């Protein structure tokens, strides 16, 4: 009974000691964005461009949104772009085909009724995402966006004079929470103290 009680007291003390110096990283929000300026072989079959965001917070606490914008050869329903998060992985989320004159087959809102133009006009849309979707998207700390352009989206530099070439952009936003962060020095002191307790207990048993 004495040994069991001593063992229980030591375990509790060890937890307390090892917990010394455990702090919390501050909660906050993440907003990242990027643009692809100019793209490849328009008119020669469907093709893709990718955009990657690294070092993302993974302790997600809310839903969020993904905003996309584009300017280029999107003047017909068959000239469009499909947007996929983490394509080809178990965490893939297909956000649908955008600027194809069909508001029902994608996740974005449609300020321009999902219709594009081939002139120097920027179009944008925002997809609102649940917390579980954000968690899937940032699992592992990174997010890759894939843009699949239809075969008729030519590289015609329709965005001048605002841009030198066509543009496809994205902005990603969500909230994250606090995370326990051990302080190395304090954790080390806890281990030293735990070692002293074990040594003392062995002397008492002797």
């Amino acid at each position: 009974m004495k040994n069991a009680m001593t063992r229980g007291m030591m375990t509790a003390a060890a937890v307390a000691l090892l917990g010394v110096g455990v702090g919390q990283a501050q909660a906050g929000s993440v907003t990242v964005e990027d643009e692809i300026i100019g793209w490849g072989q328009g008119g020669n079959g469907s093709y893709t461009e990718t955009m990657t965001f690294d070092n993302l917070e993974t302790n997600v606490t809310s839903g969020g949104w993904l905003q996309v914008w584009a300017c280029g050869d999107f003047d017909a329903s068959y000239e469009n772009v499909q947007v996929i998060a983490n394509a080809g992985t178990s965490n893939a989320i297909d956000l649908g085909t955008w600027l194809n004159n069909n508001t029902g087959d994608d996740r974005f809102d449609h300020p321009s009724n999902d219709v594009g133009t081939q002139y120097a006009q920027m179009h944008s849309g925002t997809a609102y995402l649940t917390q579980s979707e954000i968690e899937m998207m940032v699992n592992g700390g990174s997010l890759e966006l894939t843009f699949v352009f239809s075969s008729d989206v030519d590289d015609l530099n329709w965005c001048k004079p605002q841009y030198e070439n066509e543009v496809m952009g994205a902005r990603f936003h969500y909230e994250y929470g606090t995370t326990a962060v051990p302080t190395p020095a304090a954790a080390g002191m806890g281990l030293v103290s735990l070692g002293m307790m074990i040594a003392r207990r062995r002397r008492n048993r002797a």
Side-chain angles (χ1 to χ4, degrees), residues 162-179:
Q162 288 93 328
Y163 288 84
E164 187 64 27
N165 293 290
E166 310 87 8
V167 59
M168 183 80 223
R171 181 179 295 116
F172 180 54
H173 174 87
Y174 63 96
E175 307 289 326
Y176 65 90
T178 56
T179 305

Side-chain angles (χ1 to χ4, degrees), residues 60-136:
V60 180
T61 58
S62 71
W65 47 261
L66 175 69
Q67 181 186 39
V68 295
W69 59 92
C71 180
D73 180 32
F74 295 104
D75 63 315
S77 61
Y78 52 82
E79 296 173 337
N80 52 65
V81 56
Q82 181 184 12
V83 183
I84 309 171
N86 298 322
T89 73
S90 59
N91 296 317
I93 299 178
D94 187 349
L95 298 170
T97 302
W98 186 53
L99 297 180
N100 66 340
N101 198 21
N102 183 350
T103 60
D105 67 347
D106 64 76
R107 295 283 301 277
F108 300 96
D109 59 7
H110 305 95
S112 60
N113 295 318
D114 207 30
V115 177
T117 63
Q118 64 177 348
Y119 306 104
Q121 182 178 352
M122 191 69 69
H123 299 279
S124 66
T126 303
Y128 295 93
L129 305 157
T130 66
Q131 180 175 339
S132 61
E133 287 176 323
I134 298 290
E135 288 171 344
M136 286 180 61

